[in-house]
Amino acid sequence: MNDDVKQSGATVLVVDDVPTNRYAMGAVLRRAGHHVVPVASAGEALSELDVRLRAGALPDVALVDVGLPDMSGFELCRRVKSTPSTAALPVVHFSATAVDAKDRCRGLDAGADAFLPVPAEPREIQAVVHAAVRRARRRTAAEALAHRLTLLSQAVITVQTARCLGELADAAAAGAARLTGTPAVVFVIGPDGETHHGTSRSRLALSDAGPHQAAARLITRIADRRAGVHSTVVPAPLWPTGLFRPGVQDDARLVLASAQEGRAQVCIATPASAAPSRGAGNCATSHDGPADDRQPFAAFPAERLAQATALAAEPLLMYQAERDIALTLQHSFLPQPHRLPHLPGVDLVVRYVPASRQTEIGGDFYAALPTRDGVLTAVGDVVGHSLEAATVMVEIRHALRAYCVEESDPRALAERLDRMLLHYHPEVTATVCLTLLDPGTGRARIANAGHIPPVIVREGGRAEYVRVCGPLLGLALDRPEPVELVLHREDRLLMVTDGLIETRGVDLTTSMEQLRTAAAGAPPGLDALCDTLLGCFGHDREDDIAMLALRLG
């Protein structure tokens, strides 16, 4: 007989309309350490199961007499097995009269787990009950294991599709909460000590960042940068109160994982009272490795999830490092407003907004340069999002600065940039809009290479696009003559990259019309124009935004 059934006993529902039979069967089972629930009919049995189902405590096994007064034991078994909430309950038929092979077959066909002819030896009754309970518990354990594996797989997939470290931490926290059935907090610590945290609780309910900061400092002190997984239990006095549940002081079980030495460290924190026991200690008890090799794969789901999270953090850290390099590169070569060159006769305002952190760096740029024939302004974008796009942007901008020393005509400059791109980067294309403005006369010449045309905002709230077009840079195509116009003292000329208005699923012409309408309604002034447009369009963009606005001074 199985020891776990012996030690824990079982709750046995005995269904028999004969009182003496119920008493005799109950006595045998009680002597074996089981708890007996006797009922006299199928209707009473179904009512008892309904009550226990609502209480969340179904019996471990049901012994059902075949000959019941209100319905046969076969029909009772069929009803129990056809109801999803009770289908897993083991049913053992017994009878003193229906003992033929056809009767046993009827019982098995109805879904019964065994058939017991009576009278029977007490040891036989106990053995049949033990066997039925043992099979049910093993089946339940297998189903629970499969469920945990499914939850673990879903959590790992969600973690692996995270686009940034903050999203990664949130995904891991949600997965850990589903696996453990408790609140969870996850910390991802980069090699430079930068910490990102995620929580399974609503962030709206976490107005105080103090507990997370305190926990992050504690984890940073005890974290071990060695590769692998180890766990620690932190007593409640050392763990911030309310981090798992508002106002509640919990011991914390920390599972720490590192994919590579010196790289990302991941910590999954859950209340220790709900975690598998590891013993007790002064500050912690710990073990190395995710689990004993004899344990099933999902015996320690938090450890497996921590490993997967640490592995997923590695490429995100590498991407973040590359993105930081690209941003530094862009900021180094795009002059800030206070460092723009002095351009007599022209008022100028620029804006540059990098894309949100979960998107790749782009190749947007602007330039404002003095030439022998006036002021040259440019806004452009290298097609693509990568560190390469940022470096090509720098080359184009420097080439433009060099070319305009000898040449100021926008069409000639676009042709030179086109040849340069074809020679050094034949696989890359770019867009650019170039404007040469004579501050004395207001005369402007505009050439466009596949870019959004400039918008002229007139006095009185009128705005219109300059009708200028041309092929992208990098295609070796002929370029049309520049468009000529005259800017008046009150006019504002606006040049932007498509990152300001381009929205996935929305036609660009629609977005351009929205931009024109917003520009027409902007308050006077260059700063007010740029800030109004950024307020309308510049939130959570997937691309960088470069913007340049000018007027005659």
Side-chain angles (χ1 to χ4, degrees):
M1 296 180 189
N2 193 286
D3 288 340
D4 62 348
V5 178
K6 279 184 177 181
Q7 292 170 4
S8 61
T11 298
V12 184
L13 179 69
V14 177
V15 189
D16 195 330
D17 61 321
V18 180
T20 55
N21 291 347
R22 290 198 304 272
Y23 177 81
M25 187 73 74
V28 170
L29 294 171
R30 290 187 185 94
R31 282 198 299 270
H34 301 305
H35 173 64
V36 178
V37 181
V39 295
S41 67
E44 289 183 28
L46 292 174
S47 298
E48 181 68 25
L49 289 177
D50 186 58
V51 170
R52 289 179 169 270
L53 185 62
R54 288 198 297 269
L58 280 175
D60 294 293
V61 64
L63 292 182
V64 179
D65 183 22
V66 169
L68 297 174
D70 48 352
M71 72 175 71
S72 72
F74 302 132
E75 179 60 25
L76 174 59
C77 178
R78 191 174 289 109
R79 290 197 183 188
V80 168
K81 294 296 184 178
S82 64
T83 304
S85 55
T86 58
L89 175 66
V91 175
V92 177
H93 281 137
F94 67 90
S95 177
T97 58
V99 294
D100 292 341
K102 64 178 183 179
D103 297 315
R104 293 195 297 271
C105 290
R106 283 187 65 190
L108 295 174
D109 289 341
D113 296 81
F115 197 102
L116 181 67
V118 292
E121 288 290 328
R123 288 189 300 176
E124 183 180 3
I125 296 173
Q126 295 168 8
V128 169
V129 169
H130 286 149
V133 172
R134 182 172 61 248
R135 285 196 299 270
R137 290 182 178 177
R138 286 178 177 173
R139 183 169 60 246
T140 302
E143 291 172 353
L145 178 60
H147 180 62
R148 294 174 77 191
L149 281 171
T150 299
L151 291 178
L152 179 60
S153 299
Q154 292 171 345
V156 170
I157 290 172
T158 306
V159 160
Q160 290 174 339
T161 56
R163 298 173 299 171
C164 63
L165 293 171
E167 192 174 297
L168 174 73
D170 279 335
R178 286 192 293 270
L179 282 166
T180 62
T182 67
V185 182
V186 171
F187 296 85
V188 180
I189 305 171
D192 58 354
E194 180 186 2
T195 301
H196 302 263
H197 80 269
T199 177
S200 61
R201 291 169 57 195
S202 170
R203 288 190 179 273
L204 296 177
L206 303 175
S207 56
D208 184 10
H212 289 96
Q213 295 171 352
R217 288 193 295 269
L218 175 63
I219 292 167
T220 302
R221 286 199 298 270
I222 66 176
D224 191 336
R225 288 289 176 179
R226 58 187 167 171
V229 182
H230 62 285
S231 66
T232 294
V233 176
V234 178
L238 300 180
W239 187 252
T241 299
L243 195 59
F244 297 129
R245 295 170 288 187
V248 177
Q249 194 173 43
D250 290 289
D251 292 344
R253 179 175 184 254
L254 310 184
V255 179
L256 300 110
S258 180
Q260 291 183 10
E261 191 170 342
R263 299 300 293 267
Q265 181 84 37
V266 168
C267 173
I268 296 179
T270 54
S273 57
S277 175
R278 297 289 186 193
N282 200 9
C283 177
T285 53
S286 64
H287 75 286
D288 294 322
D292 191 310
D293 290 339
R294 296 167 296 178
Q295 296 288 345
F297 176 79
F300 299 93
E303 283 86 343
R304 304 295 181 182
L305 180 58
Q307 281 182 318
T309 306
L311 288 170
E314 294 290 314
L316 291 176
L317 282 167
M318 294 175 64
Y319 162 71
Q320 182 172 296
E322 178 180 299
R323 192 175 191 279
D324 290 342
I325 293 171
L327 278 174
T328 302
L329 189 67
Q330 282 189 324
H331 292 167
S332 299
F333 290 99
L334 288 178
Q336 300 302 306
H338 65 278
R339 296 173 54 195
L340 287 170
H342 177 61
L343 303 171
V346 174
D347 292 336
L348 185 71
V349 168
V350 296
R351 296 284 190 273
Y352 183 82
V353 181
S356 56
R357 290 189 68 88
Q358 57 264 37
T359 57
E360 292 188 280
I361 199 70
D364 296 37
F365 67 94
Y366 59 80
L369 305 166
T371 73
R372 61 190 180 188
D373 297 316
V375 173
L376 179 74
T377 59
V379 169
D381 183 10
V382 177
V383 176
H385 298 84
S386 63
L387 181 58
E388 181 188 17
T391 56
V392 173
M393 174 275 291
V394 173
E395 291 185 48
I396 291 176
R397 191 173 179 280
H398 275 290
L400 181 62
R401 289 169 60 89
Y403 294 153
C404 73
V405 172
E406 301 293 336
E407 177 62 73
S408 59
D409 180 67
R411 177 187 177 186
L413 290 171
E415 289 174 341
R416 289 192 177 189
L417 292 174
D418 185 59
R419 291 195 296 271
M420 184 276 289
L421 204 58
L422 279 167
H423 183 77
Y424 291 107
H425 303 282
E427 75 288 352
V428 176
T429 57
T431 68
V432 68
C433 186
L434 299 162
T435 299
L436 178 65
L437 175 65
D438 181 352
T441 64
R443 178 172 172 266
R445 287 169 56 81
I446 303 174
N448 195 356
H451 203 76
I452 295 177
V455 179
I456 297 180
V457 184
R458 307 284 188 184
E459 186 179 20
R462 292 182 298 113
E464 59 189 10
Y465 284 99
V466 179
R467 297 183 178 275
V468 57
C469 60
L472 278 71
L473 300 180
L475 300 180
L477 298 176
D478 293 336
R479 306 207 162 269
E481 286 292 328
V483 170
E484 294 194 10
L485 54 85
V486 175
L487 285 184
H488 301 292
R489 186 71 58 183
E490 300 81 7
D491 295 340
R492 292 171 287 176
L493 181 70
L494 174 70
M495 304 167 70
V496 302
T497 56
D498 58 9
L500 177 66
I501 58 172
E502 192 172 44
T503 302
R504 191 174 302 175
V506 178
D507 189 85
L508 184 59
T509 56
T510 301
S511 299
M512 289 176 62
E513 178 59 22
Q514 293 171 346
L515 172 64
R516 188 197 66 78
T517 302
L526 299 178
D527 285 299
L529 174 62
C530 292
D531 293 341
T532 297
L533 296 179
L534 285 176
C536 291
F537 304 102
H539 302 289
D540 299 322
R541 306 306 300 181
E542 296 183 359
D543 199 355
D544 297 350
I545 299 170
M547 181 184 300
L548 183 150
L550 63 83
R551 68 181 177 190
L552 298 175

